[in-house]
Amino acid sequence: MQLYICMLLSLQSEHLYFAMSMAANISSMAKQIPTVTTLLLLFFVILREVEGAERLGEVKLFVFGDSYVDTGNLVNSISYKPPSGITFPGTPAGRFSNGCVLTDYIASFLKIKSPIPYVFRNSSNLQYGINFAHGGTGIFNTLDNEPNMTVQIDWFEKLIQQKIYTKADLESSVALVNSAGNDYATFLQRKQRRMQDIPVFTASLIQQMSINLRRIHSLGINKIAVGLLEPIGCMPMLTAISSYEKCLEPFNLISQNHSQMLLQITQELNKELGKPVFVTLDLYNSFLSVLATMQKRRSDDPTLMNPLEPCCEGVSREYYCGSVDEKGEKKYGLCEKPEFSFFWEGAHLSQNGWYGVYTILYSSLRSLIQTKL
């Protein structure tokens, strides 16, 4: 079921089924009221419905952010090495997971394929949009020295200037924006940075995110989904301290404060614009909700995997998921059933984890299509 949701929901088959059904209705009605007017009216009904479905299929998704939404831009990373992608598509394909990530589920919700990574823009079809997100990046520069969100938006603007996408393309499209986890990781790893300094840093992140969101909207996107910050205190790289028994609340408070400020800024932007351009995706509470559900199931059945524990991890501290030694031998281990895990490795979700989060975000995603795109 999860793989099915992750795949493209074919519009063509829906169109064919609808046309065949309407043709049967026309035939039946024609026997009762064999008038040219009736046939013409029914013809226009079919035409209007099919055109409406085609418009839905023309929705494009433009993605900005980090590894949670990257589907292949970081080509020299572990996302292109085993065991990444073992569940979907079956081999490493650039996702920081064993399978689908948030972008894939949102694309399937929009009934399109996941947009092509920007790095492959010259050799692939761009009809579903483009994914500019890069693993390891942030709102600001991070330790990974990859293109931050400002640079990603620069790339987007350049494509618009090159007329790769029309104004109509942009007006009917959706943007997905998710970033900040790597910003906090970078901040805390740099020398002379203290937890007391976090509030000021958060304010600067939110200010820059506001600039980024305004800019994406000014380029023509009228529907923008914004991910709130995940509970970073629940990441396995941190919960390992407690043998994966509990989240670290001081770090979760950072996420909570960031998310509250980001929610406030999106509400203010919507009020300023006079329309609901920005829709927030509450990753913070979604993560916690799925974790709580999985922990409850585990309390009823101790054989189930601890959801705070990573499915894939190095055999010792000097190794990580995907590590091999100089002989090419694996230096990592996998959980018995990845399909029942929440975390794939130290910081990323498994396909099962993302599916659980997606089901909770579903009601928020519906607001992306309830009003005219």
Side-chain angles (χ1 to χ4, degrees):
M1 181 63 179
Q2 295 176 23
L3 281 175
Y4 172 74
I5 292 177
C6 188
M7 299 296 189
L8 169 68
L9 301 178
S10 174
L11 286 173
Q12 292 182 348
S13 61
E14 291 176 7
H15 297 172
L16 180 60
Y17 174 79
F18 176 80
M20 291 174 65
S21 299
M22 289 303 296
N25 290 336
I26 290 174
S27 178
S28 175
M29 293 181 68
K31 293 177 181 178
Q32 301 175 40
I33 313 175
T35 66
V36 173
T37 301
T38 300
L39 293 176
L40 285 173
L41 286 173
L42 288 171
F43 171 78
F44 285 119
V45 168
I46 294 174
L47 183 62
R48 185 170 61 183
E49 291 295 330
V50 171
E51 286 180 343
E54 289 289 356
R55 282 194 295 273
L56 178 58
E58 290 171 359
V59 172
K60 292 171 176 56
L61 178 61
F62 297 98
V63 186
F64 308 88
D66 55 25
S67 56
Y68 273 20
V69 290
D70 184 3
T71 55
N73 278 310
L74 200 54
V75 294
N76 294 317
S77 68
I78 60 171
S79 65
Y80 275 102
K81 299 177 182 179
S84 295
I86 59 172
T87 301
F88 172 83
T91 58
R95 291 168 175 78
F96 289 83
S97 178
N98 64 309
C100 301
V101 296
L102 183 60
T103 298
D104 298 304
Y105 285 113
I106 292 180
S108 70
F109 174 83
L110 297 172
K111 298 189 176 183
I112 61 174
K113 292 181 179 179
S114 283
I116 199 71
Y118 178 75
V119 70
F120 301 125
R121 65 193 179 281
N122 293 327
S123 60
S124 301
N125 196 328
L126 306 182
Q127 72 179 93
Y128 303 110
I130 293 184
N131 189 333
F132 299 96
H134 266 253
T137 64
I139 297 172
F140 296 138
N141 290 333
T142 64
L143 296 176
D144 283 1
N145 196 33
E146 297 291 344
N148 64 29
M149 190 176 293
T150 298
V151 175
Q152 294 172 26
I153 300 172
D154 288 343
W155 290 341
F156 181 44
E157 184 171 15
K158 185 176 181 180
L159 292 179
I160 294 173
Q161 292 171 348
Q162 294 172 346
K163 301 188 184 304
I164 302 298
Y165 295 106
T166 66
K167 181 180 179 181
D169 287 333
L170 301 175
E171 289 178 344
S172 64
S173 296
V174 172
L176 170 61
V177 181
N178 187 82
S179 194
N182 293 319
D183 290 285
Y184 285 105
T186 298
F187 181 87
L188 293 171
Q189 288 180 58
R190 284 177 172 162
K191 293 181 179 180
Q192 298 180 335
R193 296 291 177 86
R194 304 170 300 171
M195 290 288 283
Q196 301 95 296
D197 300 324
I198 288 289
V200 174
F201 181 62
T202 297
S204 66
L205 284 176
I206 297 300
Q207 181 181 22
Q208 183 60 47
M209 180 64 95
S210 176
I211 293 171
N212 293 344
L213 295 177
R214 287 176 181 273
R215 189 176 169 202
I216 293 171
H217 173 60
S218 71
L219 291 173
I221 305 293
N222 290 321
K223 283 294 180 180
I224 303 172
V226 184
L228 302 186
L229 184 59
E230 66 277 3
I232 56 179
C234 295
M235 299 296 107
M237 63 174 59
L238 294 176
T239 61
I241 298 174
S242 66
S243 298
Y244 306 115
E245 288 304 316
K246 60 181 180 179
C247 300
L248 276 61
E249 288 309 314
F251 289 94
N252 277 358
L253 286 175
I254 294 173
S255 296
Q256 192 173 21
N257 183 52
H258 179 100
S259 296
Q260 289 174 345
M261 293 179 68
L262 184 53
L263 176 61
Q264 181 179 351
I265 201 69
T266 56
Q267 291 173 339
E268 291 175 356
L269 287 172
N270 281 336
K271 185 176 180 181
E272 178 184 318
L273 295 170
K275 55 184 178 180
V277 171
F278 302 97
V279 175
T280 53
L281 304 180
D282 191 352
L283 297 185
Y284 182 83
N285 286 304
S286 297
F287 274 47
L288 293 181
S289 178
V290 177
L291 285 169
T293 298
M294 294 181 72
Q295 286 171 327
K296 184 178 185 306
R297 289 174 181 169
R298 184 173 179 245
S299 66
D300 296 333
D301 182 0
T303 64
L304 294 177
M305 182 177 176
N306 177 1
L308 290 177
E309 190 173 351
C311 176
C312 181
E313 59 182 334
V315 296
S316 58
R317 287 189 175 182
E318 63 266 32
Y319 297 108
Y320 51 86
C321 178
S323 286
V324 295
D325 62 17
E326 60 278 2
K327 297 179 181 178
E329 295 181 0
K330 297 178 182 179
K331 289 297 179 181
Y332 62 88
L334 285 176
C335 62
E336 184 177 352
K337 296 181 178 179
E339 65 271 23
F340 293 133
S341 66
F342 182 78
F343 285 107
W344 172 234
E345 26 84 335
H348 300 98
L349 274 62
S350 65
Q351 176 173 286
N352 182 62
W354 276 124
Y355 177 71
V357 169
Y358 165 73
T359 58
I360 295 176
L361 295 177
Y362 189 83
S363 59
S364 297
L365 290 169
R366 285 186 59 83
S367 61
L368 287 173
I369 60 174
Q370 284 176 341
T371 55
K372 186 177 180 180
L373 291 169

